[in-house]
Amino acid sequence: MSGNVLWSRKTADTIINQSNEDGCHPELDKRWAYVPGMMQLAIARTGEHYRDEAYFDFMKRHMDLFVQEDGSIRTYRLEEYNLDQINQGKNLFLLMEKTGERQYEQAAHRLARQLAGHPRTSEGGFWHKKVYPFQMWLDGLYMASPFLAQYAKAFDRPELFDETALQLLLVERKTRDPRTGLQYHGWDEAIEQVWADSKSGCSANFWGRALGWYAMALADALEHFPVDHPKRGTIIGIYERMCHALCRVQDEETGLWYQVLDQGRRKGNYLEASGSSMFVYSMAKGVRLGYLEPHFQAKAMKGYKGIIERFVTEDADGVHVHSINHGAGLSLDRDGSYGYYISEPVVSDAHIGVAPFILASLEVEKLSE
């Protein structure tokens, strides 16, 4: 595995080459959802950096399956009040910029209206979904916060930077464990859920991808914040503090991170690709944009080297990414225990792991230029 390989391009090409005759990928054309949105974003960003319009065209082709001429979005329903449904909307900004077509702007306004009326905790935190009352999950901060910050910038809505800061800082305050510096997957203000601690309302463990979502949210939201915003420095401060905590649980031998972050070599735990990619992405981007101190670059590079050596293979079909946790959540039958997190399937090539790998690769490539 050569250090000079542009893994972002090679992996994006693998996904594009899986398309049907109509140019659409069978995992990206079914519904408006957060994983397809992240994959399209990863491929579009790769094309933007390497000035290859085919990557943008791929993203646009899939977005146009959903965004209608009047700005409505096929398969999306505002009243579902689901933060996951905001994520694919991040692609709308590049579409607006490059095409000037009005339906993309109208679709962005539609998603912003969801957030304006989204159900909240008593302190203003967005519920993860309407069906998860009074719960904030780290996942949701990635889904909505960067969109909201970019929307604030694009449409000159400075009050929405305040909103974004509120969300990022509130969830950190509620979920952070002072002993480890890590953050729990979810927080239930009502303390009604079976997984919620009876005092704090937090779930019981530090799931890698959950904190990965939050780490990416910080990097991506900050990119749009005005330098003089009164909460910008605080967000950068908690970002760096979080990265210090992540470095303390980074596997010394491989540079990777475990499925359950702080339980290292406990039986059943394993080094996991999606969370590791998200942490590499966040640290590399944070260093590149000056939010994080330069010494985090070595940690990101060590993690990336581990990803390539341990998780990535190549054959005639292209690039494959292995050791991906297929999914995890919190509900009646998903109790947030250690046993639960290690029991979920471990798979190869799931887009929820491949897209973060593309994003991490692109940031490492930018940092290395």
Side-chain angles (χ1 to χ4, degrees), residues 37 89 122 132 167 190 298-299 308 322 351:
S122 63
Y132 296 149
Q167 303 300 324
K299 297 292 188 179
I308 299 300
H322 308 284
H351 285 193

Side-chain angles (χ1 to χ4, degrees), residues 58-248:
F58 179 83
M59 179 270 282
K60 183 178 184 298
R61 189 156 56 246
H62 289 84
M63 289 291 287
D64 286 347
L65 295 172
F66 299 95
V67 179
Q68 309 299 297
E69 286 188 11
D70 63 354
S72 61
I73 302 169
R74 186 173 66 83
T75 79
Y76 164 80
R77 192 167 68 86
L78 185 151
E79 288 76 13
E80 191 180 325
Y81 288 116
N82 179 349
L83 291 184
D84 288 346
Q85 299 294 66
I86 302 297
N87 192 54
Q88 190 158 346
K90 295 171 186 175
N91 294 299
L92 295 167
F93 299 105
L94 185 59
L95 289 165
M96 283 189 280
E97 179 188 323
K98 289 181 75 77
T99 72
E101 293 177 14
R102 186 159 172 75
Q103 68 264 33
Y104 303 123
E105 180 179 329
Q106 291 172 318
H109 292 324
R110 188 176 298 269
L111 296 175
R113 283 196 294 275
Q114 175 191 319
L115 295 177
H118 202 86
R120 297 169 182 261
T121 69
S122 63
E123 294 172 83
F126 293 142
W127 295 4
H128 188 55
K129 302 179 184 181
K130 183 177 68 176
V131 296
Y132 296 149
F134 296 97
Q135 299 169 46
M136 294 185 78
W137 295 14
L138 296 181
D139 320 31
L141 278 297
Y142 176 76
M143 306 305 164
S145 297
F147 172 88
L148 199 56
Q150 192 165 4
Y151 183 90
K153 183 179 180 180
F155 295 104
D156 192 23
R157 295 281 303 279
E159 75 280 7
L160 296 181
F161 290 118
D162 301 340
E163 176 74 271
T164 305
L166 169 70
Q167 303 300 324
L168 292 168
L169 295 173
L170 177 63
V171 82
E172 196 261 358
R173 191 167 80 246
K174 296 297 184 181
T175 62
R176 183 177 181 271
D177 170 49
R179 182 180 63 84
T180 62
L182 301 171
Q183 288 166 246
Y184 295 105
H185 183 180
W187 168 65
D188 170 23
E189 181 182 41
I191 313 184
E192 294 175 340
Q193 305 305 314
V194 295
W195 50 262
D197 180 84
S198 61
K199 291 183 179 178
S200 69
C202 289
S203 54
N205 283 282
F206 308 114
W207 175 40
R209 190 158 70 231
L211 196 48
W213 289 125
Y214 185 70
M216 292 202 300
L218 291 170
D220 288 357
L222 276 168
E223 192 171 14
H224 305 294
F225 261 69
V227 174
D228 60 352
H229 190 277
K231 296 295 184 184
R232 182 177 182 267
T234 306
I235 296 169
I236 290 173
I238 65 167
Y239 184 8
E240 182 150 317
R241 181 170 69 167
M242 175 200 69
C243 287
H244 280 297
L246 288 171
C247 290
R248 288 194 291 270

Side-chain angles (χ1 to χ4, degrees), residues 259-363:
Q259 165 75 344
V260 180
L261 289 170
D262 65 330
Q263 304 205 35
R265 300 182 187 278
R266 182 176 171 183
K267 185 178 180 181
N269 209 359
Y270 58 94
L271 297 166
E272 199 276 328
S274 67
S276 294
S277 295
M278 290 172 173
F279 298 141
V280 168
Y281 169 83
S282 182
M283 288 186 195
K285 185 170 184 176
V287 169
R288 178 175 66 83
L289 296 179
Y291 308 139
L292 299 177
E293 293 302 310
H295 63 81
F296 286 105
Q297 180 170 345
K299 297 292 188 179
M301 292 304 190
K302 183 176 182 179
Y304 189 65
K305 182 173 183 284
I307 291 168
I308 299 300
E309 291 179 351
R310 295 290 185 115
F311 298 150
V312 177
T313 60
E314 222 181 339
D315 62 20
D317 294 324
V319 177
H320 303 279
V321 182
H322 308 284
S323 196
I324 301 167
N325 165 231
H326 191 261
L330 296 165
S331 61
L332 201 58
D333 58 345
R334 300 180 296 176
D335 65 2
S337 65
Y338 176 82
Y340 163 68
Y341 284 116
I342 64 166
S343 71
E344 288 285 8
V346 181
V347 298
S348 296
D349 296 336
H351 285 193
I352 203 162
V354 177
F357 173 65
I358 296 174
L359 290 167
S361 297
L362 184 60
E363 281 302 327

Side-chain angles (χ1 to χ4, degrees), residues 1 9 13 21 31 35 41 43 52 89 94 139 158 190 198 219 244 282 295 325 333 349 364:
M1 296 282 178
R9 296 202 68 160
D13 288 342
E21 290 181 4
R31 63 191 181 97
V35 178
L41 184 74
I43 290 173
D52 189 330
L94 185 59
D139 320 31
S198 61
H244 280 297
S282 182
H295 63 81
N325 165 231
D333 58 345
D349 296 336
V364 167

